[in-house]
Amino acid sequence: MFKHALLSAGTNAWRSLACSRSELRLDLTLGCGQSFRWRETGDGHWTGVMGGRVWTLTQTDDTLWYHTYSIPSATGEGDCRKRRAGAPILESKSSGKKVKGGMEVKEEEEEELLAVRTDLDRKEEVLLRDYFQLDVKLGDLYREWGAADPHFKHIANIFTGVRMLRQDPTECLFSFICTSNNHISRIQGMVERLCQSLGTLLCHLDQTSYHDFPSLSALADSSVEACLRDLGFGYRAKFLQQSARQILDSHGGPLWLQGLRTASYLQARDALRTLPGVGPKVADCVCLMSLDKACVVPVDTHVWQIAKRDYSCIAGSGKKSLTDKVHQEIGDFFRQLWGPYAGWAHSVLFCADLKKFQKLKEMPSLKQEEVNSDIKAEVEGKKTKIIKTLR
DNA sequence: ACTTTACCTTA
DNA sequence: AAGGTAAAG
């Protein structure tokens, strides 16, 4: 039986990317309710499914480490990845050179294997860089947001590295249909059960099974509503099945969703809102988190509170509920404040307001360092004073 | 354009 | 009530 990978067992089975904690914090980015598919499976180790593979991620000061698990598959696509089990293939290749004659064929095979390996490795690195959008320099954005917004600057000292994921549009859409009138812990359970019952099994790790997110056709089947009601989805069961059906029947399939990446924000939002269970909030989340609309600020009751409490934003202050107009006004307010990546900035504040991260505000490591360096400076000052008086 | 009500569960 | 949406008034 396979286990979740641990970096402390040695770096052999891992690959890495240069990436500082100010550019990415796994705990915050993966735990703030953008994706509902990641779990902390070991200290600082996060395991989840992305791009049809199972990943474990962890980080040290300047490095992002990743491990993928080989997936038994009929197509054979996954199985040539047993490479990680033994010694690095580079080594066995050089030792193979000593052998003469009949071994040349084997060497060729190994070269081929090596080629396959580097090809897959490249693919995985590309996948990961794309998922975390690592080409976007978060440090630069934080500086810009902080310069424009003192409250952001204050929060940003503690909540560094909160980054927008670039999720699969299908997964993002159907996950967020589940979020209405709901809380994160229940949503996580629902999405997990959704994948478990309708998604392809990928592998088992320490008695946990990992499944891919269900395909549109799996979600569209007429048996799905009853199935999901049994799994505790409530009234959302019908929305999920109907939205999948509608995308297949009247839009031709997943390419339609993908295609919204190149559409304008308003086009994409309005297209999504034709689906059952998709209102302004869910449509905005899908636009921001999977359709490359970085300026979108999804406005929920929570963000409305933040706008009123921390920004004295008067938009919709006379209103009882979030009307379309208030959504618009609050979104515009934050866009004006933060600029074209306003949606990314919003996720930092959203994250900082989550109950589960409140403890970070009390004894934050970074602030502690600041205090320590202040004390050090003070001590240094006293030392020189004392030295002076002694003379 | 805006408010109200019902909708499924679970905490 | 919880990170809403749809339908009716």
Side-chain angles (χ1 to χ4, degrees), chain A residues 181 186 229 234-236 319-320 323 325:
Chain A
N181 204 2
R186 184 177 168 216
R229 274 197 179 265
Y235 60 85
R236 304 166 196 84
K319 303 290 191 300
K320 278 279 185 183
T323 62
K325 197 175 165 196

PDB file of all heavy atoms in Angstrom, chain A residues 181 186 229 234-236 319-320 323 325, chain B residues 1-4 6-11:
ATOM      1  N   ASN A 181     -25.147  29.560   0.173  1.00  0.00           N
ATOM      2  CA  ASN A 181     -25.762  29.400   1.492  1.00  0.00           C
ATOM      3  C   ASN A 181     -25.123  28.250   2.260  1.00  0.00           C
ATOM      4  O   ASN A 181     -25.812  27.364   2.760  1.00  0.00           O
ATOM      5  CB  ASN A 181     -27.255  29.147   1.295  1.00  0.00           C
ATOM      6  CG  ASN A 181     -28.067  29.519   2.499  1.00  0.00           C
ATOM      7  OD1 ASN A 181     -27.537  30.011   3.489  1.00  0.00           O
ATOM      8  ND2 ASN A 181     -29.342  29.274   2.453  1.00  0.00           N
ATOM      9  N   ARG A 186     -18.316  22.206   5.087  1.00  0.00           N
ATOM     10  CA  ARG A 186     -19.316  21.345   4.433  1.00  0.00           C
ATOM     11  C   ARG A 186     -19.077  21.267   2.930  1.00  0.00           C
ATOM     12  O   ARG A 186     -19.247  20.196   2.326  1.00  0.00           O
ATOM     13  CB  ARG A 186     -20.731  21.869   4.718  1.00  0.00           C
ATOM     14  CG  ARG A 186     -21.797  20.967   4.151  1.00  0.00           C
ATOM     15  CD  ARG A 186     -23.212  21.437   4.502  1.00  0.00           C
ATOM     16  NE  ARG A 186     -24.198  20.723   3.706  1.00  0.00           N
ATOM     17  CZ  ARG A 186     -25.316  21.266   3.238  1.00  0.00           C
ATOM     18  NH1 ARG A 186     -25.580  22.537   3.474  1.00  0.00           N
ATOM     19  NH2 ARG A 186     -26.148  20.545   2.537  1.00  0.00           N
ATOM     20  N   ARG A 229     -28.511  14.110  -4.031  1.00  0.00           N
ATOM     21  CA  ARG A 229     -29.392  14.374  -2.885  1.00  0.00           C
ATOM     22  C   ARG A 229     -29.103  13.390  -1.767  1.00  0.00           C
ATOM     23  O   ARG A 229     -29.056  13.767  -0.600  1.00  0.00           O
ATOM     24  CB  ARG A 229     -30.859  14.292  -3.310  1.00  0.00           C
ATOM     25  CG  ARG A 229     -31.361  15.614  -3.867  1.00  0.00           C
ATOM     26  CD  ARG A 229     -32.867  15.712  -3.910  1.00  0.00           C
ATOM     27  NE  ARG A 229     -33.266  17.012  -4.444  1.00  0.00           N
ATOM     28  CZ  ARG A 229     -33.556  18.072  -3.687  1.00  0.00           C
ATOM     29  NH1 ARG A 229     -33.520  17.970  -2.364  1.00  0.00           N
ATOM     30  NH2 ARG A 229     -33.885  19.218  -4.236  1.00  0.00           N
ATOM     31  N   GLY A 234     -28.621  18.596  -1.002  1.00  0.00           N
ATOM     32  CA  GLY A 234     -29.813  19.416  -0.905  1.00  0.00           C
ATOM     33  C   GLY A 234     -30.264  19.934  -2.261  1.00  0.00           C
ATOM     34  O   GLY A 234     -30.139  19.247  -3.280  1.00  0.00           O
ATOM     35  N   TYR A 235     -30.783  21.168  -2.263  1.00  0.00           N
ATOM     36  CA  TYR A 235     -31.338  21.727  -3.502  1.00  0.00           C
ATOM     37  C   TYR A 235     -30.288  21.958  -4.584  1.00  0.00           C
ATOM     38  O   TYR A 235     -30.623  22.184  -5.752  1.00  0.00           O
ATOM     39  CB  TYR A 235     -32.063  23.045  -3.205  1.00  0.00           C
ATOM     40  CG  TYR A 235     -31.182  24.114  -2.599  1.00  0.00           C
ATOM     41  CD1 TYR A 235     -30.424  24.939  -3.414  1.00  0.00           C
ATOM     42  CD2 TYR A 235     -31.105  24.293  -1.214  1.00  0.00           C
ATOM     43  CE1 TYR A 235     -29.611  25.921  -2.885  1.00  0.00           C
ATOM     44  CE2 TYR A 235     -30.296  25.272  -0.668  1.00  0.00           C
ATOM     45  CZ  TYR A 235     -29.548  26.080  -1.502  1.00  0.00           C
ATOM     46  OH  TYR A 235     -28.736  27.044  -0.971  1.00  0.00           O
ATOM     47  N   ARG A 236     -28.990  21.891  -4.218  1.00  0.00           N
ATOM     48  CA  ARG A 236     -27.929  22.120  -5.210  1.00  0.00           C
ATOM     49  C   ARG A 236     -27.794  20.964  -6.185  1.00  0.00           C
ATOM     50  O   ARG A 236     -27.228  21.113  -7.268  1.00  0.00           O
ATOM     51  CB  ARG A 236     -26.611  22.379  -4.506  1.00  0.00           C
ATOM     52  CG  ARG A 236     -26.668  23.541  -3.526  1.00  0.00           C
ATOM     53  CD  ARG A 236     -25.471  23.572  -2.609  1.00  0.00           C
ATOM     54  NE  ARG A 236     -25.704  24.435  -1.453  1.00  0.00           N
ATOM     55  CZ  ARG A 236     -26.330  24.053  -0.365  1.00  0.00           C
ATOM     56  NH1 ARG A 236     -26.790  22.813  -0.254  1.00  0.00           N
ATOM     57  NH2 ARG A 236     -26.508  24.896   0.638  1.00  0.00           N
ATOM     58  N   LYS A 319     -29.363  49.358   1.814  1.00  0.00           N
ATOM     59  CA  LYS A 319     -30.024  48.155   1.309  1.00  0.00           C
ATOM     60  C   LYS A 319     -30.027  47.017   2.328  1.00  0.00           C
ATOM     61  O   LYS A 319     -29.150  46.933   3.180  1.00  0.00           O
ATOM     62  CB  LYS A 319     -29.306  47.684   0.039  1.00  0.00           C
ATOM     63  CG  LYS A 319     -29.228  48.719  -1.054  1.00  0.00           C
ATOM     64  CD  LYS A 319     -30.594  48.986  -1.685  1.00  0.00           C
ATOM     65  CE  LYS A 319     -30.476  49.812  -2.936  1.00  0.00           C
ATOM     66  NZ  LYS A 319     -29.852  51.134  -2.696  1.00  0.00           N
ATOM     67  N   LYS A 320     -31.030  46.191   2.178  1.00  0.00           N
ATOM     68  CA  LYS A 320     -31.148  45.029   3.060  1.00  0.00           C
ATOM     69  C   LYS A 320     -30.284  43.867   2.576  1.00  0.00           C
ATOM     70  O   LYS A 320     -29.764  43.085   3.358  1.00  0.00           O
ATOM     71  CB  LYS A 320     -32.608  44.582   3.102  1.00  0.00           C
ATOM     72  CG  LYS A 320     -33.469  45.369   4.071  1.00  0.00           C
ATOM     73  CD  LYS A 320     -33.284  44.832   5.482  1.00  0.00           C
ATOM     74  CE  LYS A 320     -34.245  45.525   6.443  1.00  0.00           C
ATOM     75  NZ  LYS A 320     -34.058  45.088   7.824  1.00  0.00           N
ATOM     76  N   THR A 323     -27.977  43.507  -3.841  1.00  0.00           N
ATOM     77  CA  THR A 323     -28.612  43.588  -5.155  1.00  0.00           C
ATOM     78  C   THR A 323     -27.531  43.601  -6.230  1.00  0.00           C
ATOM     79  O   THR A 323     -26.347  43.761  -5.938  1.00  0.00           O
ATOM     80  CB  THR A 323     -29.429  44.882  -5.276  1.00  0.00           C
ATOM     81  OG1 THR A 323     -28.536  45.988  -5.149  1.00  0.00           O
ATOM     82  CG2 THR A 323     -30.486  44.967  -4.192  1.00  0.00           C
ATOM     83  N   LYS A 325     -26.922  45.836  -8.235  1.00  0.00           N
ATOM     84  CA  LYS A 325     -26.294  47.158  -8.247  1.00  0.00           C
ATOM     85  C   LYS A 325     -25.200  47.261  -7.184  1.00  0.00           C
ATOM     86  O   LYS A 325     -24.129  47.821  -7.430  1.00  0.00           O
ATOM     87  CB  LYS A 325     -27.363  48.230  -8.007  1.00  0.00           C
ATOM     88  CG  LYS A 325     -26.937  49.622  -8.401  1.00  0.00           C
ATOM     89  CD  LYS A 325     -28.106  50.596  -8.229  1.00  0.00           C
ATOM     90  CE  LYS A 325     -27.633  52.037  -8.252  1.00  0.00           C
ATOM     91  NZ  LYS A 325     -28.673  52.936  -7.713  1.00  0.00           N
TER      92      LYS A 325
ATOM     93  P    DA B   1     -33.415  47.792 -13.410  1.00  0.00           P
ATOM     94  OP1  DA B   1     -33.209  48.622 -14.511  1.00  0.00           O
ATOM     95  OP2  DA B   1     -32.673  46.588 -13.081  1.00  0.00           O
ATOM     96  O5'  DA B   1     -33.796  48.503 -12.080  1.00  0.00           O
ATOM     97  C5'  DA B   1     -33.288  49.700 -11.525  1.00  0.00           C
ATOM     98  C4'  DA B   1     -33.703  49.689 -10.084  1.00  0.00           C
ATOM     99  O4'  DA B   1     -35.061  49.197  -9.973  1.00  0.00           O
ATOM    100  C3'  DA B   1     -32.830  48.774  -9.228  1.00  0.00           C
ATOM    101  O3'  DA B   1     -32.587  49.412  -7.990  1.00  0.00           O
ATOM    102  C2'  DA B   1     -33.689  47.526  -9.069  1.00  0.00           C
ATOM    103  C1'  DA B   1     -35.087  48.124  -9.029  1.00  0.00           C
ATOM    104  N9   DA B   1     -36.126  47.171  -9.466  1.00  0.00           N
ATOM    105  C8   DA B   1     -36.138  46.401 -10.585  1.00  0.00           C
ATOM    106  N7   DA B   1     -37.206  45.645 -10.703  1.00  0.00           N
ATOM    107  C5   DA B   1     -37.950  45.938  -9.571  1.00  0.00           C
ATOM    108  C6   DA B   1     -39.193  45.463  -9.081  1.00  0.00           C
ATOM    109  N6   DA B   1     -39.909  44.555  -9.733  1.00  0.00           N
ATOM    110  N1   DA B   1     -39.634  45.978  -7.918  1.00  0.00           N
ATOM    111  C2   DA B   1     -38.897  46.893  -7.281  1.00  0.00           C
ATOM    112  N3   DA B   1     -37.719  47.421  -7.635  1.00  0.00           N
ATOM    113  C4   DA B   1     -37.293  46.882  -8.797  1.00  0.00           C
ATOM    114  P    DC B   2     -31.744  48.692  -6.817  1.00  0.00           P
ATOM    115  OP1  DC B   2     -31.025  49.737  -6.091  1.00  0.00           O
ATOM    116  OP2  DC B   2     -31.019  47.574  -7.436  1.00  0.00           O
ATOM    117  O5'  DC B   2     -32.864  48.090  -5.851  1.00  0.00           O
ATOM    118  C5'  DC B   2     -33.698  48.966  -5.094  1.00  0.00           C
ATOM    119  C4'  DC B   2     -34.631  48.149  -4.237  1.00  0.00           C
ATOM    120  O4'  DC B   2     -35.497  47.371  -5.096  1.00  0.00           O
ATOM    121  C3'  DC B   2     -33.916  47.148  -3.318  1.00  0.00           C
ATOM    122  O3'  DC B   2     -34.343  47.331  -1.987  1.00  0.00           O
ATOM    123  C2'  DC B   2     -34.292  45.783  -3.876  1.00  0.00           C
ATOM    124  C1'  DC B   2     -35.626  46.077  -4.557  1.00  0.00           C
ATOM    125  N1   DC B   2     -35.942  45.155  -5.684  1.00  0.00           N
ATOM    126  C2   DC B   2     -37.140  44.437  -5.662  1.00  0.00           C
ATOM    127  O2   DC B   2     -37.913  44.594  -4.723  1.00  0.00           O
ATOM    128  N3   DC B   2     -37.410  43.594  -6.694  1.00  0.00           N
ATOM    129  C4   DC B   2     -36.548  43.458  -7.700  1.00  0.00           C
ATOM    130  N4   DC B   2     -36.863  42.610  -8.670  1.00  0.00           N
ATOM    131  C5   DC B   2     -35.330  44.185  -7.736  1.00  0.00           C
ATOM    132  C6   DC B   2     -35.065  45.023  -6.723  1.00  0.00           C
ATOM    133  P    DT B   3     -33.766  46.430  -0.782  1.00  0.00           P
ATOM    134  OP1  DT B   3     -33.506  47.301   0.379  1.00  0.00           O
ATOM    135  OP2  DT B   3     -32.713  45.543  -1.330  1.00  0.00           O
ATOM    136  O5'  DT B   3     -35.030  45.519  -0.447  1.00  0.00           O
ATOM    137  C5'  DT B   3     -36.302  46.130  -0.205  1.00  0.00           C
ATOM    138  C4'  DT B   3     -37.318  45.036   0.063  1.00  0.00           C
ATOM    139  O4'  DT B   3     -37.559  44.294  -1.151  1.00  0.00           O
ATOM    140  C3'  DT B   3     -36.876  44.019   1.114  1.00  0.00           C
ATOM    141  O3'  DT B   3     -37.945  43.848   2.033  1.00  0.00           O
ATOM    142  C2'  DT B   3     -36.589  42.753   0.315  1.00  0.00           C
ATOM    143  C1'  DT B   3     -37.507  42.918  -0.889  1.00  0.00           C
ATOM    144  N1   DT B   3     -37.050  42.267  -2.144  1.00  0.00           N
ATOM    145  C2   DT B   3     -37.899  41.408  -2.806  1.00  0.00           C
ATOM    146  O2   DT B   3     -39.015  41.138  -2.396  1.00  0.00           O
ATOM    147  N3   DT B   3     -37.402  40.883  -3.972  1.00  0.00           N
ATOM    148  C4   DT B   3     -36.162  41.119  -4.535  1.00  0.00           C
ATOM    149  O4   DT B   3     -35.837  40.594  -5.583  1.00  0.00           O
ATOM    150  C5   DT B   3     -35.317  42.025  -3.791  1.00  0.00           C
ATOM    151  C7   DT B   3     -33.948  42.335  -4.299  1.00  0.00           C
ATOM    152  C6   DT B   3     -35.791  42.548  -2.640  1.00  0.00           C
ATOM    153  P    DT B   4     -37.800  42.879   3.289  1.00  0.00           P
ATOM    154  OP1  DT B   4     -38.633  43.438   4.367  1.00  0.00           O
ATOM    155  OP2  DT B   4     -36.378  42.580   3.519  1.00  0.00           O
ATOM    156  O5'  DT B   4     -38.521  41.559   2.760  1.00  0.00           O
ATOM    157  C5'  DT B   4     -39.840  41.649   2.233  1.00  0.00           C
ATOM    158  C4'  DT B   4     -40.302  40.270   1.791  1.00  0.00           C
ATOM    159  O4'  DT B   4     -39.685  39.927   0.536  1.00  0.00           O
ATOM    160  C3'  DT B   4     -39.965  39.135   2.762  1.00  0.00           C
ATOM    161  O3'  DT B   4     -41.144  38.397   3.019  1.00  0.00           O
ATOM    162  C2'  DT B   4     -38.911  38.309   2.034  1.00  0.00           C
ATOM    163  C1'  DT B   4     -39.229  38.595   0.569  1.00  0.00           C
ATOM    164  N1   DT B   4     -38.089  38.499  -0.380  1.00  0.00           N
ATOM    165  C2   DT B   4     -38.275  37.824  -1.574  1.00  0.00           C
ATOM    166  O2   DT B   4     -39.318  37.293  -1.865  1.00  0.00           O
ATOM    167  N3   DT B   4     -37.186  37.820  -2.400  1.00  0.00           N
ATOM    168  C4   DT B   4     -35.949  38.398  -2.166  1.00  0.00           C
ATOM    169  O4   DT B   4     -35.059  38.333  -2.986  1.00  0.00           O
ATOM    170  C5   DT B   4     -35.824  39.090  -0.895  1.00  0.00           C
ATOM    171  C7   DT B   4     -34.532  39.747  -0.539  1.00  0.00           C
ATOM    172  C6   DT B   4     -36.882  39.108  -0.073  1.00  0.00           C
ATOM    173  P    DA B   6     -41.709  30.906   3.271  1.00  0.00           P
ATOM    174  OP1  DA B   6     -43.060  30.426   3.573  1.00  0.00           O
ATOM    175  OP2  DA B   6     -40.746  31.193   4.352  1.00  0.00           O
ATOM    176  O5'  DA B   6     -41.024  29.852   2.282  1.00  0.00           O
ATOM    177  C5'  DA B   6     -41.563  29.660   0.982  1.00  0.00           C
ATOM    178  C4'  DA B   6     -40.570  28.859   0.151  1.00  0.00           C
ATOM    179  O4'  DA B   6     -39.450  29.696  -0.217  1.00  0.00           O
ATOM    180  C3'  DA B   6     -39.989  27.637   0.871  1.00  0.00           C
ATOM    181  O3'  DA B   6     -40.044  26.526   0.000  1.00  0.00           O
ATOM    182  C2'  DA B   6     -38.558  28.050   1.191  1.00  0.00           C
ATOM    183  C1'  DA B   6     -38.242  28.999   0.049  1.00  0.00           C
ATOM    184  N9   DA B   6     -37.205  29.986   0.362  1.00  0.00           N
ATOM    185  C8   DA B   6     -37.056  30.697   1.529  1.00  0.00           C
ATOM    186  N7   DA B   6     -36.038  31.533   1.516  1.00  0.00           N
ATOM    187  C5   DA B   6     -35.485  31.353   0.253  1.00  0.00           C
ATOM    188  C6   DA B   6     -34.372  31.936  -0.387  1.00  0.00           C
ATOM    189  N6   DA B   6     -33.590  32.860   0.174  1.00  0.00           N
ATOM    190  N1   DA B   6     -34.100  31.536  -1.642  1.00  0.00           N
ATOM    191  C2   DA B   6     -34.872  30.610  -2.205  1.00  0.00           C
ATOM    192  N3   DA B   6     -35.937  29.997  -1.712  1.00  0.00           N
ATOM    193  C4   DA B   6     -36.188  30.411  -0.462  1.00  0.00           C
ATOM    194  P    DC B   7     -39.710  25.079   0.498  1.00  0.00           P
ATOM    195  OP1  DC B   7     -40.630  24.155  -0.181  1.00  0.00           O
ATOM    196  OP2  DC B   7     -39.602  25.090   1.972  1.00  0.00           O
ATOM    197  O5'  DC B   7     -38.246  24.831  -0.101  1.00  0.00           O
ATOM    198  C5'  DC B   7     -37.989  25.137  -1.463  1.00  0.00           C
ATOM    199  C4'  DC B   7     -36.494  25.045  -1.705  1.00  0.00           C
ATOM    200  O4'  DC B   7     -35.852  26.269  -1.272  1.00  0.00           O
ATOM    201  C3'  DC B   7     -35.793  23.909  -0.944  1.00  0.00           C
ATOM    202  O3'  DC B   7     -34.986  23.201  -1.840  1.00  0.00           O
ATOM    203  C2'  DC B   7     -34.925  24.625   0.073  1.00  0.00           C
ATOM    204  C1'  DC B   7     -34.623  25.921  -0.669  1.00  0.00           C
ATOM    205  N1   DC B   7     -34.203  27.053   0.184  1.00  0.00           N
ATOM    206  C2   DC B   7     -33.254  27.954  -0.320  1.00  0.00           C
ATOM    207  O2   DC B   7     -32.803  27.754  -1.464  1.00  0.00           O
ATOM    208  N3   DC B   7     -32.868  28.992   0.451  1.00  0.00           N
ATOM    209  C4   DC B   7     -33.391  29.161   1.675  1.00  0.00           C
ATOM    210  N4   DC B   7     -32.979  30.205   2.379  1.00  0.00           N
ATOM    211  C5   DC B   7     -34.368  28.260   2.201  1.00  0.00           C
ATOM    212  C6   DC B   7     -34.741  27.230   1.428  1.00  0.00           C
ATOM    213  P    DC B   8     -35.255  21.728  -2.177  1.00  0.00           P
ATOM    214  OP1  DC B   8     -35.016  21.558  -3.587  1.00  0.00           O
ATOM    215  OP2  DC B   8     -36.558  21.390  -1.572  1.00  0.00           O
ATOM    216  O5'  DC B   8     -34.127  20.971  -1.375  1.00  0.00           O
ATOM    217  C5'  DC B   8     -34.239  20.723   0.013  1.00  0.00           C
ATOM    218  C4'  DC B   8     -32.914  20.202   0.390  1.00  0.00           C
ATOM    219  O4'  DC B   8     -32.022  21.332   0.529  1.00  0.00           O
ATOM    220  C3'  DC B   8     -32.875  19.445   1.705  1.00  0.00           C
ATOM    221  O3'  DC B   8     -32.099  18.274   1.479  1.00  0.00           O
ATOM    222  C2'  DC B   8     -32.202  20.406   2.672  1.00  0.00           C
ATOM    223  C1'  DC B   8     -31.279  21.189   1.731  1.00  0.00           C
ATOM    224  N1   DC B   8     -30.914  22.533   2.190  1.00  0.00           N
ATOM    225  C2   DC B   8     -29.567  22.913   2.166  1.00  0.00           C
ATOM    226  O2   DC B   8     -28.735  22.104   1.755  1.00  0.00           O
ATOM    227  N3   DC B   8     -29.217  24.139   2.595  1.00  0.00           N
ATOM    228  C4   DC B   8     -30.135  24.985   3.029  1.00  0.00           C
ATOM    229  N4   DC B   8     -29.731  26.187   3.441  1.00  0.00           N
ATOM    230  C5   DC B   8     -31.509  24.629   3.062  1.00  0.00           C
ATOM    231  C6   DC B   8     -31.862  23.404   2.625  1.00  0.00           C
ATOM    232  P    DT B   9     -31.763  17.234   2.544  1.00  0.00           P
ATOM    233  OP1  DT B   9     -31.598  15.888   1.996  1.00  0.00           O
ATOM    234  OP2  DT B   9     -32.708  17.462   3.644  1.00  0.00           O
ATOM    235  O5'  DT B   9     -30.317  17.694   2.954  1.00  0.00           O
ATOM    236  C5'  DT B   9     -30.106  18.090   4.262  1.00  0.00           C
ATOM    237  C4'  DT B   9     -28.652  18.358   4.458  1.00  0.00           C
ATOM    238  O4'  DT B   9     -28.480  19.773   4.324  1.00  0.00           O
ATOM    239  C3'  DT B   9     -28.237  17.955   5.843  1.00  0.00           C
ATOM    240  O3'  DT B   9     -26.959  17.370   5.821  1.00  0.00           O
ATOM    241  C2'  DT B   9     -28.303  19.261   6.620  1.00  0.00           C
ATOM    242  C1'  DT B   9     -28.082  20.327   5.546  1.00  0.00           C
ATOM    243  N1   DT B   9     -28.880  21.558   5.769  1.00  0.00           N
ATOM    244  C2   DT B   9     -28.205  22.718   6.097  1.00  0.00           C
ATOM    245  O2   DT B   9     -26.993  22.773   6.200  1.00  0.00           O
ATOM    246  N3   DT B   9     -28.998  23.810   6.293  1.00  0.00           N
ATOM    247  C4   DT B   9     -30.366  23.878   6.203  1.00  0.00           C
ATOM    248  O4   DT B   9     -30.959  24.933   6.403  1.00  0.00           O
ATOM    249  C5   DT B   9     -31.022  22.634   5.852  1.00  0.00           C
ATOM    250  C7   DT B   9     -32.516  22.601   5.715  1.00  0.00           C
ATOM    251  C6   DT B   9     -30.259  21.537   5.662  1.00  0.00           C
ATOM    252  P    DT B  10     -26.556  16.512   7.082  1.00  0.00           P
ATOM    253  OP1  DT B  10     -25.661  15.458   6.598  1.00  0.00           O
ATOM    254  OP2  DT B  10     -27.749  16.185   7.876  1.00  0.00           O
ATOM    255  O5'  DT B  10     -25.682  17.544   7.912  1.00  0.00           O
ATOM    256  C5'  DT B  10     -24.605  18.206   7.252  1.00  0.00           C
ATOM    257  C4'  DT B  10     -24.108  19.357   8.099  1.00  0.00           C
ATOM    258  O4'  DT B  10     -25.060  20.446   8.068  1.00  0.00           O
ATOM    259  C3'  DT B  10     -23.881  19.034   9.577  1.00  0.00           C
ATOM    260  O3'  DT B  10     -22.651  19.627   9.948  1.00  0.00           O
ATOM    261  C2'  DT B  10     -25.044  19.721  10.271  1.00  0.00           C
ATOM    262  C1'  DT B  10     -25.214  20.938   9.378  1.00  0.00           C
ATOM    263  N1   DT B  10     -26.518  21.613   9.428  1.00  0.00           N
ATOM    264  C2   DT B  10     -26.538  22.990   9.438  1.00  0.00           C
ATOM    265  O2   DT B  10     -25.520  23.673   9.411  1.00  0.00           O
ATOM    266  N3   DT B  10     -27.786  23.550   9.462  1.00  0.00           N
ATOM    267  C4   DT B  10     -28.995  22.879   9.493  1.00  0.00           C
ATOM    268  O4   DT B  10     -30.053  23.494   9.510  1.00  0.00           O
ATOM    269  C5   DT B  10     -28.904  21.435   9.479  1.00  0.00           C
ATOM    270  C7   DT B  10     -30.157  20.616   9.500  1.00  0.00           C
ATOM    271  C6   DT B  10     -27.682  20.883   9.448  1.00  0.00           C
ATOM    272  P    DA B  11     -21.820  19.023  11.196  1.00  0.00           P
ATOM    273  OP1  DA B  11     -20.677  18.314  10.603  1.00  0.00           O
ATOM    274  OP2  DA B  11     -22.723  18.341  12.141  1.00  0.00           O
ATOM    275  O5'  DA B  11     -21.295  20.346  11.884  1.00  0.00           O
ATOM    276  C5'  DA B  11     -21.051  21.522  11.084  1.00  0.00           C
ATOM    277  C4'  DA B  11     -21.187  22.761  11.945  1.00  0.00           C
ATOM    278  O4'  DA B  11     -22.520  23.307  11.826  1.00  0.00           O
ATOM    279  C3'  DA B  11     -20.950  22.528  13.439  1.00  0.00           C
ATOM    280  O3'  DA B  11     -20.097  23.540  13.956  1.00  0.00           O
ATOM    281  C2'  DA B  11     -22.329  22.635  14.064  1.00  0.00           C
ATOM    282  C1'  DA B  11     -23.011  23.602  13.117  1.00  0.00           C
ATOM    283  N9   DA B  11     -24.455  23.445  13.073  1.00  0.00           N
ATOM    284  C8   DA B  11     -25.175  22.292  13.006  1.00  0.00           C
ATOM    285  N7   DA B  11     -26.474  22.464  12.975  1.00  0.00           N
ATOM    286  C5   DA B  11     -26.619  23.841  13.027  1.00  0.00           C
ATOM    287  C6   DA B  11     -27.762  24.671  13.035  1.00  0.00           C
ATOM    288  N6   DA B  11     -29.002  24.220  12.981  1.00  0.00           N
ATOM    289  N1   DA B  11     -27.545  26.002  13.098  1.00  0.00           N
ATOM    290  C2   DA B  11     -26.283  26.458  13.153  1.00  0.00           C
ATOM    291  N3   DA B  11     -25.153  25.771  13.150  1.00  0.00           N
ATOM    292  C4   DA B  11     -25.391  24.450  13.089  1.00  0.00           C
TER     293       DA B  11
END
